Amino acid sequence: MSKPALKKELSKLTKEQLVDHILDLYDKNNSVKEFYNFYLNPKDEQELAKKYKKIIRKEFNVENPIKSTEKFSVAKRAISDFKNLQPSPESLADVMLYLPESACELTALYGDFSEQFYNSAYNNYRAALGFLAKHGLLDNFKVRAEQCVNWASNCGYGFADDIADAFYEYY
């Protein structure tokens, strides 16, 4: 159903019916519940960011790499879900940069990974730096972005050069 069609159908409902419909969605859909909880209480933005960073950390578990799954799709989904809540650019940047940070730290501590792993980490690093630049946040995250360069410095498949090139492109 298109937005105009949905809007047409919703405009036929009374205010009370719309409220009931939203409450029904709230009860049945966790993402709707999370959206309204955040929308009505945005003071918990940092706690919410921690929740999504924890999901990312689970995928790139530096503390216990045997338990890590290195699924970029799960980590990217966490970023996408957080983004859908419409947090501040600073909080979104924090979560976005956390993915390549975790991947770079994991590979620095536990050795080489696949070329695909490095490509995904690099692409997410570039995306985070691009977001930082777009929102004027590069200075706020320089130390963390540079730490990725340090962690990647001994990695293979040209990963170290790619990460460094991306860093110096923005800084």
Side-chain angles (χ1 to χ4, degrees):
M1 177 181 279
S2 67
K3 278 186 171 182
L6 178 62
K7 185 176 181 179
K8 182 179 178 183
E9 291 301 315
L10 291 175
S11 67
K12 295 176 185 177
L13 301 175
T14 67
K15 181 179 178 180
E16 186 176 304
Q17 288 172 319
L18 281 171
V19 169
D20 288 343
H21 185 65
I22 291 170
L23 290 174
D24 189 41
L25 283 171
Y26 183 86
D27 287 337
K28 293 179 179 176
N29 189 315
N30 285 336
S31 61
V32 171
K33 182 179 268 188
E34 190 169 50
F35 174 81
Y36 277 109
N37 287 341
F38 178 67
Y39 177 76
L40 297 172
N41 190 13
K43 291 177 259 176
D44 292 338
E45 186 173 72
Q46 294 305 313
E47 283 304 310
L48 204 52
K50 286 180 188 176
K51 172 189 169 185
Y52 287 98
K53 287 169 72 172
K54 187 175 180 178
I55 293 168
I56 293 167
R57 193 59 164 197
K58 183 179 176 191
E59 292 305 309
F60 305 97
N61 192 333
V62 174
E63 293 78 16
N64 191 353
I66 293 170
K67 291 186 177 182
S68 72
T69 58
E70 295 106 30
K71 290 184 181 173
F72 281 89
S73 61
V74 172
K76 287 177 71 170
R77 179 68 190 179
I79 293 167
S80 178
D81 289 348
F82 185 58
K83 183 179 182 179
N84 287 338
L85 298 174
Q86 301 173 342
S88 67
E90 292 85 2
S91 291
L92 182 54
D94 176 32
V95 175
M96 287 179 74
L97 187 59
Y98 195 68
L99 191 164
E101 277 180 305
S102 296
C104 288
E105 183 180 10
L106 183 66
T107 191
L109 294 173
Y110 298 103
D112 281 337
F113 285 80
S114 70
E115 185 175 5
Q116 182 180 358
F117 178 93
Y118 290 133
N119 288 339
S120 294
Y122 168 73
N123 290 336
N124 283 282
Y125 183 68
R126 282 197 65 77
L129 292 180
F131 184 85
L132 293 172
K134 178 180 177 184
H135 293 280
L137 298 170
L138 285 167
D139 289 342
N140 300 15
F141 291 89
K142 183 177 183 180
V143 171
R144 289 174 56 190
E146 192 169 25
Q147 182 61 47
C148 289
V149 175
N150 295 334
W151 279 324
S153 64
N154 293 321
C155 297
Y157 296 108
F159 182 63
D161 293 335
D162 289 344
I163 292 290
D165 289 347
F167 178 82
Y168 292 115
E169 180 180 331
Y170 286 95
Y171 288 99

